[in-house]
Amino acid sequence: MEENQMELLDLSGIRWDAHGLVPAIAQDVETKEVLMLAYMNEESLRRTMKERKACYYSRSRQALWLKGETSGHFQEVVDIKFDCDQDALLLTVRQTGMACHENHFSCFHYDLEKNGFKKVGEPDVKPDVPLGRTLEL
Amino acid sequence: MEENQMELLDLSGIRWDAHGLVPAIAQDVETKEVLMLAYMNEESLRRTMKERKACYYSRSRQALWLKGETSGHFQEVVDIKFDCDQDALLLTVRQTGMACHENHFSCFHYDLEKNGFKKVGEPDVKPDVPLGRTLEL
């Protein structure tokens, strides 16, 4: 899609929540790891589509949040899919470095145990890449 | 964890939203496909942990929603992880049949194009299983 077409793209079919946001899941294209869940407003989604780098809306800072802008850990967007009721989206991304600000590849690195949350896995480690789907079992 | 311990498990560290919900991502353990995004309240999370079948909270019906109860397409829960700010969770599940009520394996099967949402992929098809991570490239 060309740039001017992208800017005119009708996003009104998306079921934004009361705050004008939708949850966006980021999944790494190589490892298939689910990296994080964040939120997008219309402006951040348009910017993501245009620049092909994941740009979220930070609910705490109430501002656009270009992932990697300070850390360098950008997410190159390979694909965007919407779900069947158009109120969530899935970004397939090529993650640079670690997705989590705690230096883990994925933000989902906590177990809930009897004594509370427990961090699991190793920091600064990118999981193994599963072999390609084109190979037959 | 034994059943009585599970019922006493302290869930107050979870950052429930204003409606007492957290978003829950379901990912298939075999194919690594992201299947859906739904929501859980405390009761549905406790039930999920106890029965090891994904049970969500339906915001439209305002009731617990045991995934598969009517369709038979249950999600056996293999693992539960929380993210670094404890406001989202990732279920690793073994999906029976198709996750999407539109008979696709994943609910994320829509592209957004110039003319609106376009369904992609084939119904009633489970994607190929990537080869195991224990094999070296």
Side-chain angles (χ1 to χ4, degrees):
Chain A
M1 206 178 291
E2 289 177 21
E3 196 168 305
N4 60 344
Q5 287 182 316
M6 196 113 69
E7 279 167 18
L8 295 171
L9 194 65
D10 179 11
L11 302 183
S12 64
I14 298 173
R15 292 174 56 211
W16 308 96
D17 72 9
H19 305 286
L21 303 175
V22 282
I25 302 162
Q27 181 179 30
D28 182 61
V29 66
E30 289 179 11
T31 62
K32 307 293 178 192
E33 293 286 306
V34 174
L35 300 171
M36 55 187 281
L37 174 74
Y39 293 84
M40 286 188 173
N41 65 1
E42 183 172 328
E43 189 184 355
S44 67
L45 177 56
R46 284 194 191 277
R47 185 164 164 186
T48 299
M49 291 172 134
K50 188 174 167 184
E51 302 182 0
R52 308 307 288 182
K53 283 183 184 162
C55 178
Y56 303 101
Y57 179 82
S58 165
R59 297 177 301 168
S60 54
R61 291 189 288 110
Q62 301 196 328
L64 289 196
W65 162 33
L66 176 63
K67 173 78 181 165
E69 194 166 23
T70 53
S71 66
H73 294 172
F74 292 100
Q75 295 176 332
E76 179 198 337
V77 175
V78 177
D79 187 44
I80 303 177
K81 286 276 183 296
F82 291 82
D83 72 347
C84 51
D85 51 5
Q86 285 89 46
D87 66 358
L89 52 89
L90 174 64
L91 307 174
T92 304
V93 302
R94 195 175 306 279
Q95 177 68 49
T96 303
M98 303 287 112
C100 182
H101 72 291
E102 294 178 342
N103 201 30
H104 281 244
F105 192 63
S106 164
C107 291
F108 291 96
H109 62 95
Y110 282 89
D111 276 336
L112 181 54
E113 298 188 346
K114 205 170 46 177
N115 300 317
F117 289 104
K118 186 188 167 192
K119 206 181 269 201
V120 288
E122 293 298 315
D124 207 22
V125 171
K126 183 174 172 174
D128 290 339
V129 175
L131 287 175
R133 295 181 178 199
T134 50
L135 288 168
E136 294 297 320
L137 278 171
Chain B
M1 207 178 290
E2 289 177 20
E3 195 168 306
N4 59 344
Q5 287 182 314
M6 196 112 69
E7 280 168 16
L8 295 171
L9 194 65
D10 180 11
L11 301 183
S12 64
I14 299 172
R15 291 175 57 210
W16 308 96
D17 72 10
H19 305 286
L21 304 175
V22 282
I25 303 163
Q27 181 178 30
D28 183 59
V29 66
E30 289 179 11
T31 63
K32 307 291 179 193
E33 292 286 306
V34 174
L35 299 171
M36 55 188 281
L37 173 73
Y39 293 84
M40 288 189 173
N41 65 1
E42 181 171 331
E43 188 183 356
S44 68
L45 177 55
R46 285 192 189 277
R47 186 164 164 186
T48 299
M49 291 173 132
K50 188 174 167 182
E51 302 182 359
R52 309 304 291 181
K53 282 182 184 163
C55 179
Y56 302 101
Y57 179 81
S58 165
R59 296 176 303 168
S60 54
R61 290 189 289 108
Q62 302 196 327
L64 290 196
W65 163 32
L66 175 64
K67 174 77 181 165
E69 193 166 26
T70 53
S71 64
H73 294 172
F74 292 101
Q75 295 176 332
E76 178 198 338
V77 175
V78 177
D79 187 44
I80 302 177
K81 286 277 184 293
F82 291 82
D83 72 348
C84 50
D85 51 3
Q86 285 89 46
D87 66 358
L89 53 90
L90 173 64
L91 306 173
T92 304
V93 303
R94 195 175 305 280
Q95 176 68 49
T96 304
M98 303 287 114
C100 182
H101 73 291
E102 293 178 343
N103 202 31
H104 282 244
F105 191 62
S106 164
C107 291
F108 292 95
H109 61 96
Y110 281 89
D111 277 336
L112 182 53
E113 299 189 347
K114 206 170 46 176
N115 300 316
F117 289 104
K118 186 187 168 194
K119 206 180 269 199
V120 290
E122 291 299 314
D124 207 21
V125 171
K126 182 175 173 175
D128 290 340
V129 175
L131 288 174
R133 296 184 178 199
T134 51
L135 289 170
E136 295 297 320
L137 277 170

